[in-house]
Amino acid sequence: ILFSNENGKLCAAAVVSALAAAMGSLAVRALRSDDASLQKTAEELRQMTDYMVFQIDEELRSREPYDKRRNDPAATRNDLDIALRVASDIPNEVVYIMCRCIELMKEVVDKGDELTACSALAAVHLSVAAIRCMQAELLSYAKIMDDDVFGYTIVREAELNLADHQELVDGLVEELTRRLTRAKK
């Protein structure tokens, strides 16, 4: 039922974001370390998981003003643009949070081993998947906005955030894949 409405992309991204943070938490727990910095990382990932679960409902609510106005014959283009601005807040927030999740995985990878690699790799891939999903959502909003500058800005912010983290993502994927790959005999 959660994914049966037209807001399925939003719901899916929040669920994937929560899973990314949860997989990061699993990676930290696999370390079984008393390292204080890792305890802070674990707590941030736990809070991130809880927050992203909360965001599932928030994303649906953020889209409600647009859904109402788009079916209202009295709504102006300005009314629709304002509603789309509200709806775009959460997708951009998901992008920022998932970029942070990727950064936290770097901390885990720096102190981790093969036991943490699987969960950390899943967290990185899920973070990127959520970001890509939100980029698609923002593109769909920008396409129908009259305010081209705002539409361009929300799309570009998400692109830049991922671009700023792409080298980190590539390095983490390479390192974690190496840790998980059996050495050739």
Side-chain angles (χ1 to χ4, degrees), residues 9-10 12-14 17 59 87-96 98-99 102 125-143 151-166 169:
K9 288 183 295 221
L10 286 170
S17 297
E59 286 175 320
S88 70
D89 284 345
I90 298 215
N92 266 319
E93 187 174 10
V94 170
V95 170
Y96 291 126
M98 288 299 91
C99 287
I102 292 165
H125 282 305
L126 289 167
S127 295
V128 172
I131 291 168
R132 293 280 189 207
C133 191
M134 291 296 82
Q135 286 180 307
E137 191 67 24
L138 291 166
L139 280 169
S140 74
Y141 293 163
K143 180 180 179 181
Y152 173 81
T153 301
I154 61 172
V155 169
R156 192 68 181 131
E157 281 179 11
E159 289 172 351
L160 290 172
N161 277 312
L162 182 57
D164 287 346
H165 287 80
Q166 193 61 58
V169 167

Side-chain angles (χ1 to χ4, degrees), residues 18-150:
L19 289 172
M23 291 304 293
S25 291
L26 284 175
V28 173
R29 276 187 255 150
L31 289 172
R32 291 191 168 91
S33 172
D34 292 335
D35 184 324
S37 67
L38 283 175
Q39 297 308 317
K40 286 177 67 175
T41 299
E43 179 58 20
E44 187 174 346
L45 287 163
R46 188 199 61 72
Q47 290 175 358
M48 189 181 291
T49 303
D50 292 347
Y51 184 70
M52 294 317 300
V53 168
F54 170 75
Q55 288 299 87
I56 295 167
D57 286 336
E58 289 301 302
E59 286 175 320
L60 290 173
R61 280 195 281 278
S62 76
R63 178 86 187 239
E64 283 176 5
Y66 174 70
D67 291 338
K68 287 179 185 173
R69 286 182 176 91
R70 129 181 122 163
N71 295 321
D72 180 359
T76 66
R77 283 300 310 162
N78 189 52
D79 293 336
L80 293 172
D81 270 13
I82 290 168
L84 285 167
R85 284 175 184 247
V86 170
S88 70
D89 284 345
I90 298 215
N92 266 319
E93 187 174 10
V94 170
V95 170
Y96 291 126
I97 292 170
M98 288 299 91
C99 287
R100 179 63 184 148
C101 187
I102 292 165
E103 293 166 1
L104 291 172
M105 288 305 92
K106 172 69 171 134
E107 294 174 23
V108 173
V109 170
D110 287 347
K111 297 181 182 185
D113 55 20
E114 286 74 15
L115 292 175
T116 62
C118 186
S119 297
L121 183 59
V124 171
H125 282 305
L126 289 167
S127 295
V128 172
I131 291 168
R132 293 280 189 207
C133 191
M134 291 296 82
Q135 286 180 307
E137 191 67 24
L138 291 166
L139 280 169
S140 74
Y141 293 163
K143 180 180 179 181
I144 55 181
M145 284 182 167
D146 274 353
D147 185 345
D148 290 336
V149 173
F150 188 82

